[in-house]
Amino acid sequence: MMNDLNWNGFCELYYDSARTYAEVHLQRLVKKNGMPDKRVDLEYVKDAAVLSSLEKAFAHYDSNRGAKITTYLSTLVHNEIVDEMTRETKRAAVQQDIDDFKTAVRAYVEDDSPEAREKLIPRLRAAIGKLSPSDQVILNYYLEDRSSYVARSAEALHISENYVSVRRHHIFKRLPKLMEMTRNEYLRYCYELNNTVFAKNISISSEVQRFILPNPIVPSLDVDRMAEGLVSILLQE
């Protein structure tokens, strides 16, 4: 630990060096792996890596271990650049998924009024019902809390966290296609959901009935709430 310096003094001495290291390591990373998603904020990556590295160096550097402070700091910055780039690339991929979903689903919206978009809920309910039970679980946890859905899904489904992220990507790609029902199926499904008198006189197809079966993995999963959550995403600008 830097016992002979306070935080401000430490930053005055080493901030510029850390910033230089960040520039160098980021350039090398981009040269090696190619340019990241255009949504990745490279300035944020550098700033986050510099701050985190300075905090760690200030708290843990020990000159008695032999390494120079500059060497130690450079190593920290390199590691933080790699970690931050990975995190920001994943965040950008999630945003791309959402934007693609918005673009595709808006084909079903007659106009930009909230009332028109609310009409999407029955279609979204049906689309969610067509997902596999495990995909429903991932989507449900994602809509509940984007910061914890990966860990929660991995635990519930006994799969790797990386696979959860891949599945989430496929879910948002598939949902617009799954919304494409025939007119008769769509009307029957809406009648059934609304519990109207028409439902008593209409034979609901087995395919449409399957849409509203309880989830065998998470029986408490609420498809209505999930559909409303997807509409909320759609309404975000």
Side-chain angles (χ1 to χ4, degrees):
M1 182 174 179
M2 306 296 295
N3 293 320
D4 54 338
L5 288 173
N6 61 25
W7 169 250
N8 288 335
F10 180 76
C11 288
E12 287 179 6
L13 285 176
Y14 299 111
Y15 176 84
D16 289 344
S17 295
R19 184 76 185 181
T20 299
Y21 298 148
E23 294 277 359
V24 171
H25 291 311
L26 184 58
Q27 289 177 11
R28 289 175 179 172
L29 187 63
V30 169
K31 184 177 181 180
K32 178 181 178 181
N33 299 329
M35 286 297 296
D37 188 299
K38 63 181 181 180
R39 297 174 183 272
V40 173
D41 186 340
L42 297 183
E43 287 301 315
Y44 174 83
V45 170
K46 287 186 285 188
D47 288 342
V50 168
L51 178 58
S52 180
S53 299
L54 288 170
E55 289 175 341
K56 291 180 179 179
F58 182 72
H60 303 296
Y61 175 70
D62 185 353
S63 59
N64 294 324
R65 294 184 178 179
K68 294 181 178 180
I69 179 62
T70 51
T71 302
Y72 181 69
L73 184 58
S74 177
T75 300
L76 287 175
V77 171
H78 170 268
N79 294 338
E80 291 297 321
I81 284 287
V82 172
D83 290 346
E84 283 296 331
M85 182 67 84
T86 299
R87 283 191 285 267
E88 289 305 303
T89 299
K90 288 182 177 179
R91 292 191 186 106
V94 171
Q95 187 59 49
Q96 186 65 56
D97 291 344
I98 300 302
D99 286 349
D100 287 345
F101 170 71
K102 288 180 181 180
T103 299
V105 173
R106 280 175 177 167
Y108 299 98
V109 180
E110 298 171 359
D111 54 55
D112 285 334
S113 69
E115 293 78 11
R117 295 186 184 188
E118 284 297 321
K119 294 178 182 178
L120 288 170
I121 289 180
R123 279 190 183 272
L124 288 168
R125 288 194 193 105
I128 293 169
K130 291 180 179 181
L131 293 172
S132 69
S134 59
D135 281 354
Q136 289 178 352
V137 170
I138 293 172
L139 178 61
N140 179 62
Y141 287 153
Y142 176 83
L143 293 171
E144 287 184 351
D145 185 359
R146 299 185 190 184
S147 66
S148 66
Y149 88 95
V150 172
R152 293 174 68 193
S153 299
E155 181 179 2
L157 302 175
H158 304 284
I159 56 179
S160 71
E161 292 191 355
N162 182 65
Y163 182 73
V164 171
S165 298
V166 173
R167 289 307 306 173
R168 184 221 65 236
H169 173 78
H170 289 303
I171 289 168
F172 276 101
K173 290 293 186 183
R174 292 185 63 217
L175 277 172
K177 182 67 176 179
L178 294 177
M179 291 172 66
E180 296 178 4
M181 306 169 65
T182 67
R183 179 174 176 78
N184 286 337
E185 283 183 329
Y186 176 61
L187 291 176
R188 288 172 180 173
Y189 181 63
C190 291
Y191 287 144
E192 177 70 10
L193 286 175
N194 294 330
N195 196 26
T196 67
V197 294
F198 297 101
K200 299 178 181 179
N201 301 317
I202 293 178
S203 175
I204 307 299
S205 70
S206 59
E207 178 68 12
V208 174
Q209 285 182 352
R210 187 173 67 83
F211 294 167
I212 53 178
L213 291 176
N215 186 283
I217 303 171
V218 181
S220 62
L221 186 146
D222 187 337
V223 174
D224 289 337
R225 183 170 52 80
M226 292 171 67
E228 291 170 0
L230 286 171
V231 169
S232 296
I233 288 176
L234 185 65
L235 291 171
Q236 293 174 358
E237 297 299 337

